[in-house]
């Protein structure tokens, strides 16, 4: 069996009712590539073990905590040099995710922003105005080395955990590939 090149982590609490749809998009990538797929769970929802089995994901049970702490706990138990956090509605195809992960794995960039489904001129203007933040629903693909270099996610942050992670990555000089580039 090939070495795991990265892990795709989806937080069950953040994904909510969109979790099955997200899993349906990323599960083929996890099977085709050498990615592990993990569902982070602090809810104790009885449906999640069956859902994880259906999509070939590992269920990573963590204690109830803010998103930053849940991500840190799950990453500590996940393999591979790449970390992928698909945002809510950010992954429309496994091919796009695979291409962006390949750029990070090859070292061409340290962080790739995963595109949202919204691509019109208004979306681009809003993304430009919010340069230091993730556009709503966007996700990240980054190297584990950079994640560890900056100390992971702030364990006290919930909804803003990935926004703040991106801000610190950029402040520390991580090469970021925006979705439009």
């Amino acid at each position: 069996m090939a070495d795991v090149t990265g892990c795709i982590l989806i937080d069950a609490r953040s994904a909510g009712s969109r979790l099955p749809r997200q899993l349906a998009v990323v599960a083929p990538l996890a099977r085709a590539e050498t990615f592990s797929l993990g569902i982070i769970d602090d809810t104790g929802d009885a449906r999640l073990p069956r859902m994880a089995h259906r999509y070939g994901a590992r269920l990573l049970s963590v204690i109830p905590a803010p998103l930053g702490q849940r991500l840190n706990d799950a990453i500590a138990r996940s393999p591979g040099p790449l970390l992928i956090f698909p945002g809510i509605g950010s992954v429309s195809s496994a091919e796009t995710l695979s291409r962006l992960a390949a750029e990070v794995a090859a070292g061409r960039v340290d962080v790739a922003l995963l595109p949202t489904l919204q691509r019109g001129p208004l979306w681009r203007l809003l993304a430009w105005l919010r340069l230091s933040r993730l556009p709503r629903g966007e996700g990240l693909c980054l190297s584990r080395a950079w994640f560890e270099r900056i100390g992971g996610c702030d364990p006290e942050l919930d909804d803003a955990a990935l926004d703040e992670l991106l801000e610190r990555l950029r402040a520390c000089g991580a090469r970021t590939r925006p979705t439009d580039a």
Side-chain angles (χ1 to χ4, degrees), residues 24-173:
V25 171
V26 298
L29 174 66
R31 285 191 290 271
E33 304 280 339
T34 52
F35 292 111
S36 70
L37 177 57
I39 301 171
I40 304 168
D41 175 38
D42 72 336
T43 66
D45 188 326
R47 298 170 294 182
L48 289 177
R50 190 172 57 250
M51 192 179 303
H53 178 72
R54 178 179 177 198
Y55 290 103
R58 287 186 329 144
L59 188 60
L60 302 166
S61 296
V62 297
I63 61 169
L67 178 60
Q69 183 64 49
R70 295 192 310 264
L71 289 173
N72 288 340
D73 291 348
I75 289 166
R77 298 173 19 211
S78 300
L82 289 181
L83 304 173
I84 301 171
F85 311 115
I88 304 304
S90 70
V91 179
S92 59
S93 76
E95 295 81 23
T96 300
L97 185 56
S98 180
R99 181 178 47 79
L100 294 172
E103 286 187 31
V104 175
R108 289 189 286 276
V109 295
D110 301 310
V111 180
L113 303 181
L114 305 179
T116 61
L117 300 178
Q118 305 155 340
R119 295 311 220 139
L122 181 59
W123 177 86
R124 285 192 297 275
L125 175 63
L126 289 174
W128 180 78
L129 291 172
R130 296 179 56 193
L131 288 176
S132 64
R133 297 184 52 107
L134 286 171
R136 181 152 172 72
E138 199 159 89
L140 293 174
C141 175
L142 70 146
S143 68
R144 181 183 294 269
W146 269 101
F147 184 83
E148 292 172 354
R149 185 179 299 163
I150 65 167
C153 291
D154 184 332
E156 300 294 318
L157 294 178
D158 200 20
D159 293 339
L162 289 176
D163 286 336
E164 195 269 344
L165 177 66
L166 178 60
E167 287 176 17
R168 284 189 294 126
L169 285 163
R170 286 178 169 159
C172 291

